[in-house]
Amino acid sequence: MFRILFVVVAIWLGIVDLGARGEDWITLENCRLVPNEANDGDSFHVSVNDKEYIFRLYLVDAPETDAANPARLIEQAKHFGITVPQVIEVGEEAKSFVRNKLSAPFTVLTRKANAMGRSDIGRFYAFVQTKDGDLGEQLIANGLARTHGRSVTPPGASSSALERQRLKELEDEAKQHKLGGWSTNGRLLNPPSAIPDSGKFDINAATEKELRLIPGIGPVMARRIIDARPFRSADDLKKVNGIGDKKYDQIRPYFQ
């Protein structure tokens, strides 16, 4: 009885990989990317055999594409040594990269291990093979993801450690050649010290582009906020036309 209870609780907490119980790998051929706003560099909607799934790549973590998860953004920014807004830029690059790589039919290898998504559609961990090879490895090699996340021994490999080692080597090469998030040219000029520990924007200094990264702030609202400056503190956001209690509660956590 105790053993059964432990397994149930472990699954609920995500400690146990549902795909690591001995099931065979499932190969899904002729998969196609399904356009969806929630798609990003490491998680995306896929159609195969008239059924839709969401697949999350094993072993890699692509930068976020919005400011919905400040803690993750800060963590990724510090890893690449760039600013939080720049992380989102790289995340958009990763998203475009994946969209391009998956424009032709591709293959998914999965054991249907639960990736704990928020959608009603099943979300599972997987490896994705394109005509150019493993998608996760391609993201790492181009500086568009970091070696991170759920581990598993890939099909045909002897251990997950060997795959992690390969990914780490690809990541080191991308860093050496300043690719993607490791780039220091042009748009990636701010040093690591520019990353705020809080991950929050200065209400009086954030640019329009930075303000628009915040969920709930579009171009019109961003301009209203800028025009209403200076603020004594971000608490004064309630004075901006169009920011009611609900909107204030939504955006206030993103400011110092």
Side-chain angles (χ1 to χ4, degrees), residues 181-229:
W182 305 111
S183 173
T184 56
N185 58 26
R187 61 183 182 77
L188 300 179
L189 295 177
N190 293 329
S193 60
I195 302 170
D197 290 336
S198 64
K200 299 182 179 182
F201 296 104
D202 183 327
I203 186 62
N204 289 311
T207 65
E208 179 178 347
K209 187 174 183 180
E210 290 171 336
L211 290 172
R212 291 176 62 183
L213 295 175
I214 298 173
I217 297 182
V220 174
M221 184 57 66
R223 179 45 54 186
R224 287 178 182 174
I225 291 173
I226 291 174
D227 290 343
R229 291 171 175 169

Short mmCIF file of all heavy atoms in Angstrom, two decimals, residues 181-229:
data_model
loop_
_atom_site.label_atom_id
_atom_site.label_comp_id
_atom_site.label_asym_id
_atom_site.label_seq_id
_atom_site.Cartn_x
_atom_site.Cartn_y
_atom_site.Cartn_z
N GLY A 181 22.61 33.14 -28.61
CA GLY A 181 22.60 33.82 -27.31
C GLY A 181 23.98 34.16 -26.81
O GLY A 181 24.13 34.98 -25.90
N TRP A 182 25.01 33.55 -27.38
CA TRP A 182 26.40 33.85 -26.98
C TRP A 182 26.97 35.00 -27.78
O TRP A 182 28.11 35.40 -27.56
CB TRP A 182 27.27 32.62 -27.18
CG TRP A 182 26.77 31.41 -26.46
CD1 TRP A 182 26.24 30.28 -27.02
CD2 TRP A 182 26.74 31.19 -25.06
NE1 TRP A 182 25.88 29.38 -26.05
CE2 TRP A 182 26.17 29.91 -24.83
CE3 TRP A 182 27.12 31.96 -23.95
CZ2 TRP A 182 25.99 29.40 -23.56
CZ3 TRP A 182 26.93 31.43 -22.67
CH2 TRP A 182 26.38 30.17 -22.50
N SER A 183 26.19 35.54 -28.70
CA SER A 183 26.69 36.61 -29.56
C SER A 183 26.96 37.88 -28.77
O SER A 183 26.26 38.22 -27.83
CB SER A 183 25.67 36.90 -30.66
OG SER A 183 26.05 38.03 -31.42
N THR A 184 28.00 38.61 -29.17
CA THR A 184 28.30 39.91 -28.55
C THR A 184 28.29 41.02 -29.59
O THR A 184 28.74 42.12 -29.33
CB THR A 184 29.69 39.89 -27.88
OG1 THR A 184 30.67 39.53 -28.86
CG2 THR A 184 29.71 38.92 -26.73
N ASN A 185 27.76 40.69 -30.78
CA ASN A 185 27.78 41.72 -31.84
C ASN A 185 26.46 42.48 -31.89
O ASN A 185 25.41 41.96 -31.60
CB ASN A 185 28.07 41.10 -33.22
CG ASN A 185 27.04 40.04 -33.60
OD1 ASN A 185 25.91 40.09 -33.15
ND2 ASN A 185 27.44 39.11 -34.43
N GLY A 186 26.53 43.73 -32.24
CA GLY A 186 25.35 44.54 -32.52
C GLY A 186 24.38 44.64 -31.37
O GLY A 186 24.57 45.41 -30.44
N ARG A 187 23.34 43.83 -31.41
CA ARG A 187 22.22 44.00 -30.49
C ARG A 187 22.50 43.47 -29.10
O ARG A 187 21.76 43.73 -28.17
CB ARG A 187 20.98 43.31 -31.04
CG ARG A 187 21.17 41.83 -31.22
CD ARG A 187 19.94 41.18 -31.84
NE ARG A 187 20.14 39.75 -31.94
CZ ARG A 187 20.04 38.92 -30.92
NH1 ARG A 187 19.76 39.38 -29.72
NH2 ARG A 187 20.23 37.62 -31.08
N LEU A 188 23.54 42.66 -28.93
CA LEU A 188 23.83 42.09 -27.61
C LEU A 188 25.04 42.79 -27.00
O LEU A 188 26.12 42.26 -26.93
CB LEU A 188 24.08 40.58 -27.71
CG LEU A 188 22.93 39.75 -28.28
CD1 LEU A 188 23.33 38.29 -28.36
CD2 LEU A 188 21.70 39.90 -27.42
N LEU A 189 24.82 44.03 -26.58
CA LEU A 189 25.94 44.85 -26.12
C LEU A 189 26.03 44.95 -24.60
O LEU A 189 27.07 45.29 -24.07
CB LEU A 189 25.81 46.27 -26.70
CG LEU A 189 25.93 46.37 -28.23
CD1 LEU A 189 25.71 47.81 -28.67
CD2 LEU A 189 27.30 45.90 -28.70
N ASN A 190 24.95 44.72 -23.89
CA ASN A 190 24.96 44.92 -22.44
C ASN A 190 25.71 43.81 -21.72
O ASN A 190 25.54 42.64 -22.04
CB ASN A 190 23.52 44.97 -21.90
CG ASN A 190 22.79 46.19 -22.40
OD1 ASN A 190 23.40 47.22 -22.63
ND2 ASN A 190 21.48 46.07 -22.58
N PRO A 191 26.55 44.13 -20.77
CA PRO A 191 27.30 43.12 -20.03
C PRO A 191 26.41 42.40 -19.04
O PRO A 191 25.32 42.86 -18.72
CB PRO A 191 28.37 43.96 -19.30
CG PRO A 191 27.70 45.28 -19.11
CD PRO A 191 26.85 45.50 -20.33
N PRO A 192 26.88 41.24 -18.52
CA PRO A 192 26.09 40.49 -17.55
C PRO A 192 25.66 41.30 -16.34
O PRO A 192 24.63 41.04 -15.77
CB PRO A 192 27.03 39.35 -17.16
CG PRO A 192 27.93 39.18 -18.35
CD PRO A 192 28.11 40.56 -18.89
N SER A 193 26.48 42.32 -15.94
CA SER A 193 26.14 43.11 -14.76
C SER A 193 24.88 43.92 -14.96
O SER A 193 24.31 44.45 -14.01
CB SER A 193 27.30 44.06 -14.42
OG SER A 193 27.57 44.93 -15.50
N ALA A 194 24.40 44.06 -16.23
CA ALA A 194 23.18 44.83 -16.50
C ALA A 194 21.93 44.04 -16.17
O ALA A 194 20.84 44.57 -16.19
CB ALA A 194 23.15 45.26 -17.96
N ILE A 195 22.05 42.76 -15.87
CA ILE A 195 20.90 41.92 -15.56
C ILE A 195 20.42 42.25 -14.15
O ILE A 195 21.15 42.07 -13.19
CB ILE A 195 21.26 40.43 -15.64
CG1 ILE A 195 21.80 40.10 -17.03
CG2 ILE A 195 20.05 39.56 -15.32
CD1 ILE A 195 22.40 38.72 -17.12
N PRO A 196 19.18 42.72 -14.00
CA PRO A 196 18.69 43.01 -12.65
C PRO A 196 18.45 41.74 -11.86
O PRO A 196 17.90 40.78 -12.39
CB PRO A 196 17.38 43.76 -12.91
CG PRO A 196 16.93 43.24 -14.23
CD PRO A 196 18.19 42.99 -15.03
N ASP A 197 18.87 41.72 -10.62
CA ASP A 197 18.65 40.54 -9.79
C ASP A 197 17.17 40.24 -9.62
O ASP A 197 16.76 39.08 -9.50
CB ASP A 197 19.29 40.73 -8.42
CG ASP A 197 20.82 40.73 -8.50
OD1 ASP A 197 21.34 40.15 -9.47
OD2 ASP A 197 21.45 41.30 -7.60
N SER A 198 16.36 41.30 -9.63
CA SER A 198 14.92 41.11 -9.44
C SER A 198 14.23 40.67 -10.72
O SER A 198 13.12 40.16 -10.69
CB SER A 198 14.29 42.43 -8.96
OG SER A 198 14.41 43.43 -9.97
N GLY A 199 14.87 40.94 -11.87
CA GLY A 199 14.24 40.62 -13.15
C GLY A 199 13.12 41.59 -13.50
O GLY A 199 12.32 41.31 -14.38
N LYS A 200 13.06 42.73 -12.80
CA LYS A 200 11.97 43.69 -13.00
C LYS A 200 12.49 44.95 -13.68
O LYS A 200 13.64 45.33 -13.54
CB LYS A 200 11.32 44.03 -11.66
CG LYS A 200 10.71 42.82 -10.97
CD LYS A 200 10.04 43.22 -9.66
CE LYS A 200 9.41 42.00 -8.98
NZ LYS A 200 8.72 42.37 -7.73
N PHE A 201 11.59 45.60 -14.43
CA PHE A 201 11.96 46.79 -15.18
C PHE A 201 11.83 48.05 -14.32
O PHE A 201 11.00 48.12 -13.41
CB PHE A 201 11.06 46.94 -16.41
CG PHE A 201 11.20 45.83 -17.41
CD1 PHE A 201 10.24 44.84 -17.51
CD2 PHE A 201 12.30 45.78 -18.26
CE1 PHE A 201 10.37 43.82 -18.44
CE2 PHE A 201 12.44 44.76 -19.18
CZ PHE A 201 11.47 43.78 -19.27
N ASP A 202 12.66 49.04 -14.64
CA ASP A 202 12.56 50.36 -14.03
C ASP A 202 11.43 51.11 -14.72
O ASP A 202 11.48 51.33 -15.93
CB ASP A 202 13.89 51.10 -14.21
CG ASP A 202 13.91 52.46 -13.53
OD1 ASP A 202 12.84 53.11 -13.47
OD2 ASP A 202 14.98 52.89 -13.07
N ILE A 203 10.42 51.51 -14.00
CA ILE A 203 9.23 52.13 -14.58
C ILE A 203 9.56 53.40 -15.35
O ILE A 203 8.89 53.76 -16.32
CB ILE A 203 8.17 52.42 -13.47
CG1 ILE A 203 6.87 52.93 -14.09
CG2 ILE A 203 8.72 53.41 -12.46
CD1 ILE A 203 6.20 51.94 -15.00
N ASN A 204 10.61 54.11 -14.93
CA ASN A 204 10.96 55.37 -15.58
C ASN A 204 12.03 55.23 -16.65
O ASN A 204 12.36 56.21 -17.33
CB ASN A 204 11.42 56.39 -14.53
CG ASN A 204 10.27 56.89 -13.68
OD1 ASN A 204 9.22 57.28 -14.19
ND2 ASN A 204 10.45 56.87 -12.36
N ALA A 205 12.60 54.04 -16.81
CA ALA A 205 13.70 53.86 -17.77
C ALA A 205 13.41 52.83 -18.85
O ALA A 205 14.07 52.82 -19.89
CB ALA A 205 14.98 53.46 -17.03
N ALA A 206 12.43 51.97 -18.65
CA ALA A 206 12.14 50.92 -19.63
C ALA A 206 11.74 51.52 -20.97
O ALA A 206 10.96 52.48 -21.03
CB ALA A 206 11.02 50.01 -19.11
N THR A 207 12.29 50.98 -22.04
CA THR A 207 11.95 51.46 -23.37
C THR A 207 10.59 50.92 -23.79
O THR A 207 10.03 50.01 -23.16
CB THR A 207 13.00 50.99 -24.39
OG1 THR A 207 12.94 49.54 -24.49
CG2 THR A 207 14.40 51.41 -23.97
N GLU A 208 10.07 51.48 -24.88
CA GLU A 208 8.78 51.00 -25.38
C GLU A 208 8.85 49.51 -25.73
O GLU A 208 7.93 48.74 -25.45
CB GLU A 208 8.35 51.80 -26.61
CG GLU A 208 7.02 51.33 -27.19
CD GLU A 208 6.57 52.16 -28.38
OE1 GLU A 208 7.14 53.25 -28.62
OE2 GLU A 208 5.65 51.71 -29.09
N LYS A 209 9.97 49.10 -26.33
CA LYS A 209 10.14 47.70 -26.71
C LYS A 209 10.14 46.81 -25.48
O LYS A 209 9.55 45.72 -25.48
CB LYS A 209 11.44 47.53 -27.49
CG LYS A 209 11.64 46.14 -28.07
CD LYS A 209 12.87 46.09 -28.95
CE LYS A 209 13.04 44.71 -29.60
NZ LYS A 209 14.24 44.67 -30.47
N GLU A 210 10.81 47.25 -24.42
CA GLU A 210 10.85 46.46 -23.19
C GLU A 210 9.48 46.39 -22.54
O GLU A 210 9.06 45.33 -22.06
CB GLU A 210 11.88 47.05 -22.22
CG GLU A 210 13.32 46.86 -22.68
CD GLU A 210 14.30 47.64 -21.83
OE1 GLU A 210 13.90 48.64 -21.20
OE2 GLU A 210 15.49 47.26 -21.80
N LEU A 211 8.77 47.51 -22.53
CA LEU A 211 7.43 47.52 -21.94
C LEU A 211 6.50 46.55 -22.67
O LEU A 211 5.67 45.88 -22.06
CB LEU A 211 6.84 48.93 -21.99
CG LEU A 211 7.48 49.97 -21.06
CD1 LEU A 211 6.94 51.35 -21.35
CD2 LEU A 211 7.25 49.60 -19.60
N ARG A 212 6.66 46.46 -23.97
CA ARG A 212 5.78 45.59 -24.76
C ARG A 212 6.09 44.11 -24.57
O ARG A 212 5.32 43.26 -25.01
CB ARG A 212 5.88 45.98 -26.24
CG ARG A 212 5.26 47.34 -26.54
CD ARG A 212 5.46 47.74 -27.99
NE ARG A 212 4.81 46.80 -28.90
CZ ARG A 212 4.88 46.90 -30.23
NH1 ARG A 212 5.56 47.91 -30.78
NH2 ARG A 212 4.27 46.02 -30.99
N LEU A 213 7.19 43.82 -23.90
CA LEU A 213 7.49 42.43 -23.58
C LEU A 213 6.62 41.92 -22.42
O LEU A 213 6.48 40.72 -22.22
CB LEU A 213 8.96 42.27 -23.19
CG LEU A 213 10.00 42.57 -24.27
CD1 LEU A 213 11.40 42.50 -23.68
CD2 LEU A 213 9.86 41.59 -25.43
N ILE A 214 6.04 42.84 -21.70
CA ILE A 214 5.25 42.49 -20.52
C ILE A 214 3.84 42.08 -20.94
O ILE A 214 3.18 42.82 -21.68
CB ILE A 214 5.18 43.68 -19.54
CG1 ILE A 214 6.60 44.04 -19.06
CG2 ILE A 214 4.26 43.37 -18.37
CD1 ILE A 214 6.65 45.30 -18.22
N PRO A 215 3.37 40.92 -20.52
CA PRO A 215 2.01 40.49 -20.86
C PRO A 215 0.99 41.53 -20.44
O PRO A 215 0.99 41.99 -19.29
CB PRO A 215 1.84 39.19 -20.07
CG PRO A 215 3.23 38.69 -19.86
CD PRO A 215 4.08 39.91 -19.70
N GLY A 216 0.12 41.93 -21.37
CA GLY A 216 -0.91 42.91 -21.06
C GLY A 216 -0.57 44.32 -21.49
O GLY A 216 -1.42 45.21 -21.41
N ILE A 217 0.67 44.54 -21.96
CA ILE A 217 1.06 45.87 -22.42
C ILE A 217 1.34 45.82 -23.92
O ILE A 217 2.27 45.16 -24.37
CB ILE A 217 2.30 46.40 -21.68
CG1 ILE A 217 2.00 46.57 -20.19
CG2 ILE A 217 2.77 47.72 -22.28
CD1 ILE A 217 3.15 47.13 -19.38
N GLY A 218 0.50 46.50 -24.67
CA GLY A 218 0.67 46.61 -26.12
C GLY A 218 1.30 47.95 -26.47
O GLY A 218 1.69 48.72 -25.58
N PRO A 219 1.40 48.28 -27.76
CA PRO A 219 2.04 49.53 -28.17
C PRO A 219 1.35 50.78 -27.64
O PRO A 219 2.01 51.75 -27.27
CB PRO A 219 2.00 49.46 -29.70
CG PRO A 219 0.96 48.43 -30.03
CD PRO A 219 0.98 47.46 -28.90
N VAL A 220 0.02 50.78 -27.59
CA VAL A 220 -0.72 51.95 -27.12
C VAL A 220 -0.47 52.17 -25.63
O VAL A 220 -0.16 53.28 -25.18
CB VAL A 220 -2.22 51.80 -27.39
CG1 VAL A 220 -2.99 52.96 -26.75
CG2 VAL A 220 -2.49 51.76 -28.89
N MET A 221 -0.58 51.10 -24.85
CA MET A 221 -0.39 51.22 -23.41
C MET A 221 1.06 51.57 -23.09
O MET A 221 1.33 52.35 -22.16
CB MET A 221 -0.77 49.91 -22.71
CG MET A 221 -0.69 49.97 -21.19
SD MET A 221 -1.73 51.29 -20.49
CE MET A 221 -3.36 50.65 -20.94
N ALA A 222 2.01 51.01 -23.84
CA ALA A 222 3.42 51.34 -23.62
C ALA A 222 3.66 52.83 -23.81
O ALA A 222 4.36 53.48 -23.02
CB ALA A 222 4.30 50.53 -24.57
N ARG A 223 3.05 53.40 -24.85
CA ARG A 223 3.21 54.83 -25.11
C ARG A 223 2.55 55.67 -24.02
O ARG A 223 3.10 56.70 -23.60
CB ARG A 223 2.61 55.16 -26.48
CG ARG A 223 2.68 56.62 -26.90
CD ARG A 223 4.01 57.27 -26.65
NE ARG A 223 5.10 56.53 -27.26
CZ ARG A 223 6.38 56.84 -27.08
NH1 ARG A 223 6.71 57.84 -26.27
NH2 ARG A 223 7.32 56.14 -27.66
N ARG A 224 1.41 55.21 -23.52
CA ARG A 224 0.75 55.95 -22.43
C ARG A 224 1.61 55.97 -21.18
O ARG A 224 1.69 56.99 -20.47
CB ARG A 224 -0.60 55.31 -22.11
CG ARG A 224 -1.68 55.55 -23.17
CD ARG A 224 -2.97 54.84 -22.79
NE ARG A 224 -3.99 55.00 -23.81
CZ ARG A 224 -5.19 54.40 -23.79
NH1 ARG A 224 -5.47 53.58 -22.77
NH2 ARG A 224 -6.06 54.60 -24.74
N ILE A 225 2.24 54.84 -20.89
CA ILE A 225 3.11 54.77 -19.70
C ILE A 225 4.29 55.72 -19.85
O ILE A 225 4.65 56.45 -18.92
CB ILE A 225 3.59 53.32 -19.49
CG1 ILE A 225 2.41 52.43 -19.06
CG2 ILE A 225 4.71 53.27 -18.45
CD1 ILE A 225 2.75 50.96 -18.98
N ILE A 226 4.91 55.72 -21.03
CA ILE A 226 6.06 56.60 -21.27
C ILE A 226 5.65 58.07 -21.17
O ILE A 226 6.36 58.89 -20.57
CB ILE A 226 6.68 56.29 -22.65
CG1 ILE A 226 7.34 54.90 -22.62
CG2 ILE A 226 7.68 57.36 -23.05
CD1 ILE A 226 7.85 54.42 -23.96
N ASP A 227 4.47 58.40 -21.73
CA ASP A 227 4.01 59.79 -21.72
C ASP A 227 3.65 60.26 -20.31
O ASP A 227 3.66 61.47 -20.04
CB ASP A 227 2.79 59.94 -22.63
CG ASP A 227 3.14 59.81 -24.11
OD1 ASP A 227 4.34 59.93 -24.44
OD2 ASP A 227 2.23 59.59 -24.92
N ALA A 228 3.33 59.31 -19.41
CA ALA A 228 2.92 59.68 -18.05
C ALA A 228 4.12 59.85 -17.11
O ALA A 228 3.94 60.20 -15.94
CB ALA A 228 1.98 58.61 -17.49
N ARG A 229 5.32 59.60 -17.56
CA ARG A 229 6.50 59.73 -16.72
C ARG A 229 6.78 61.19 -16.39
O ARG A 229 6.40 62.09 -17.15
CB ARG A 229 7.72 59.12 -17.43
CG ARG A 229 7.69 57.62 -17.57
CD ARG A 229 8.81 57.15 -18.48
NE ARG A 229 8.88 55.69 -18.56
CZ ARG A 229 9.62 55.02 -19.42
NH1 ARG A 229 10.37 55.67 -20.30
NH2 ARG A 229 9.61 53.70 -19.43
#
